[in-house]
């Protein structure tokens, strides 16, 4: 995923967060406004009810406070409680009585400090401990103040539900955007690889075709002696052979990508000997335990290891030995081709299996390579259900390995 896409996603997520927070705050404020209207109405009714029988109210409040019996309906007089329940419903109004700053009675569940702060602000509505508080002076000479409390929990609930819903939507949208960004990055990467493949293929075809056209033009002139005519014919033959090999490799690569293969038990030692027979003059050492078998296709596995061995030989100085070894991993067999050649730079390892990619283009052309070999090897490994692993150090050599599941007992002779 590109840097610009990541930045766009971060900004998009931030915008969603800010929008959701603003909407939740707006909802919270709207709920509080509605509750404040209700609180003012309830406070006015409570004030009127207490003032109508203030002496009985104070006496009932003191009695309730002294007995800790805050749930009896006679908190401030039976007549007041019944009248208020008819107006406000089944629930008893929540309020407190304060005298000279001391809480004489309270059924609000609020702390004394919160009630005293509300009593000190009789001209406004306070929000404390998720309750709206309204205060009125009942008796200025005795400094008696009544504080009504209205539960504002529904405003918090509405805010939290909206915020959680918005965050859930934001998470889904962000995940969808991340998936779209990832998919877009993959499509861009695929397009870049396809463009690079077409450009590399065009270059690979242009080089031999230019040589062939040039030599063919010389032959058409009819002024060449026998030696030069033979040189031109040899060059045309050589370049034609290269083109034929390239086309065969491309067809094999396409076939592996489209068609599956049948796996069977293959003797590793026999495959190693097949590779050695195809490279009779190559300095190879073979090390495969007797009876080691893997689930693979013998011809394709031999072709894979041969390609790896040829690459290892080209990367090594003349006379250096390339090793083919097979080791037990417990659940499978690890096949490795090891050389002590020039090695591969770390930044090039991830590109090795791309078609037409070459670490050293000059040396690869001199060796006659087309850059398809490792891509074909990677596709063969994928058809076997595994992948190639590269371990290399510049100046010390390279190890290319793959791990295949163990096969049943099978003994084969090397192909002649």
């Amino acid at each position: 995923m590109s840097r610009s896409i990541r930045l766009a996603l971060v900004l998009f997520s931030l915008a969603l967060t800010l929008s959701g927070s603003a909407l939740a705050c707006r909802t919270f404020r709207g709920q509080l406004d509605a509750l404040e209207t209700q609180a003012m109405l309830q406070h006015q009714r409570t004030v009127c009810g207490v003032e109508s029988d203030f002496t009985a109210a104070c006496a009932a409040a003191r009695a309730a406070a002294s007995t800790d019996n805050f749930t009896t309906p006679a908190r401030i007089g039976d007549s007041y409680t019944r009248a208020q329940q008819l107006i406000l419903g089944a629930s008893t109004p929540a309020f407190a009585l304060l005298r000279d700053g001391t809480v004489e009675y309270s059924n609000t569940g609020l702390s004394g400090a919160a009630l005293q702060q509300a009593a000190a602000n009789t001209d406004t509505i306070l929000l404390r401990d998720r309750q709206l508080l309204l205060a009125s002076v009942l008796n200025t000479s005795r400094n008696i103040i009544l504080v009504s409390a209205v539960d504002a929990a529904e405003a918090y609930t509405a805010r939290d539900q909206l915020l959680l819903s918005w965050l859930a939507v934001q998470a889904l949208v962000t995940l969808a955007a991340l998936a779209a960004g990832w998919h877009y990055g993959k499509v861009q990467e695929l397009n870049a690889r396809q463009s690079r493949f077409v450009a590399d293929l065009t270059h690979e075809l242009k080089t031999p075709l230019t040589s062939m056209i040039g030599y063919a033009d010389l032959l058409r002139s009819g002024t060449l002696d026998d030696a030069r005519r033979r040189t031109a014919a040899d060059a045309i033959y050589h370049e034609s052979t290269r083109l034929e090999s390239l086309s065969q490799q491309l067809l094999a690569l396409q076939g592996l990508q489209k068609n599956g293969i049948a796996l069977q038990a293959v003797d590793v030692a026999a495959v190693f000997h097949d590779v050695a027979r195809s490279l009779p003059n190559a300095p190879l050492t073979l090390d495969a335990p007797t009876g080691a078998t893997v689930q693979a296709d013998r011809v394709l596995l031999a072709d894979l290891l041969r390609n790896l061995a040829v690459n290892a030989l080209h990367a090594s100085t003349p006379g250096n030995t390339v090793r083919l070894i097979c080791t037990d991993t417990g659940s499978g067999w690890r096949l490795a081709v090891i050389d002590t050649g020039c090695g591969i730079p770390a930044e090039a390892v991830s590109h090795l299996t791309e078609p037409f990619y070459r670490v050293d283009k000059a040396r690869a052309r001199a060796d006659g390579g087309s850059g398809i070999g490792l891509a074909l090897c990677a596709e063969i490994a994928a058809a076997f259900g595994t992948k190639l692993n590269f371990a290399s150090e510049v100046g010390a050599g390279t190890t290319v390995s793959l791990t295949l599941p163990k096969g049943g007992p099978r003994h084969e002779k090397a192909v002649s």
Side-chain angles (χ1 to χ4, degrees), residues 178-208:
L178 286 172
W182 178 85
H183 181 70
Y184 176 78
K186 288 295 183 181
V187 170
Q188 291 294 96
E189 181 183 350
L190 179 60
N191 289 338
R193 290 182 61 182
Q194 289 178 339
S195 298
R196 190 164 57 248
F197 177 83
V198 172
D200 290 341
L201 178 59
T202 302
H203 185 71
E204 288 295 326
L205 295 175
K206 182 178 179 181
T207 302

Side-chain angles (χ1 to χ4, degrees), residues 69-138:
N69 185 10
F70 296 159
T71 60
T72 59
R75 289 173 183 154
I76 59 171
D78 290 340
S79 61
Y80 166 73
T81 301
R82 285 196 298 270
Q84 289 299 299
Q85 286 181 350
L86 286 174
I87 297 173
L88 301 175
S91 61
T92 302
F95 66 96
L97 286 170
L98 288 80
R99 182 191 297 270
D100 295 324
T102 301
V103 181
E104 294 200 6
Y105 169 75
S106 174
N107 67 342
T108 63
L110 295 171
S111 65
L115 294 172
Q116 290 171 1
Q117 185 178 7
N121 294 271
T122 57
D123 58 345
T124 186
I125 299 178
L126 296 181
L127 179 61
R128 292 291 182 273
D129 298 333
R130 296 200 173 193
Q131 295 203 48
L132 294 171
L133 304 181
L134 296 84
S136 294
V137 178
L138 297 184

Side-chain angles (χ1 to χ4, degrees), residues 21-39 127 132 151-159 162:
S21 300
L23 187 58
C25 290
R26 181 179 177 181
T27 300
F28 181 64
R29 189 68 256 175
Q31 290 283 340
L32 280 183
D33 289 342
L35 286 171
E36 285 178 356
T37 302
Q38 175 186 341
L127 179 61
L132 294 171
D151 190 7
E154 60 184 89
Y156 287 91
T157 301
R159 182 199 64 180
L162 177 60

Side-chain angles (χ1 to χ4, degrees), residues 241-316:
T241 304
R242 279 187 59 196
L243 287 177
E244 182 186 24
S245 175
L246 176 61
S247 65
Q248 290 176 348
Q249 287 183 314
L250 288 173
L251 288 173
L253 184 62
Q254 185 181 23
L256 282 174
Q257 292 173 343
K258 289 186 176 181
N259 306 317
I261 60 173
L263 303 181
Q264 57 184 353
V266 176
D267 188 273
V268 176
V271 174
F272 280 6
H273 282 95
D274 291 345
V275 175
R277 286 177 179 272
S278 66
L279 301 170
N281 299 319
L284 301 176
T285 61
L286 312 178
D287 183 6
T290 302
T293 58
V294 294
Q295 287 292 325
D297 179 277
R298 177 168 174 169
V299 174
L300 290 177
L301 182 58
D303 190 42
L304 183 154
L305 293 174
R306 182 185 182 281
N307 272 321
L308 295 181
V310 169
N311 286 343
L313 291 168
H314 288 162
S316 304

Side-chain angles (χ1 to χ4, degrees), residues 162-177:
L162 177 60
L163 194 57
L164 289 175
S165 300
W166 190 269
L167 289 176
V169 171
Q170 177 186 353
L172 291 175
V173 172
T174 302
L175 287 175

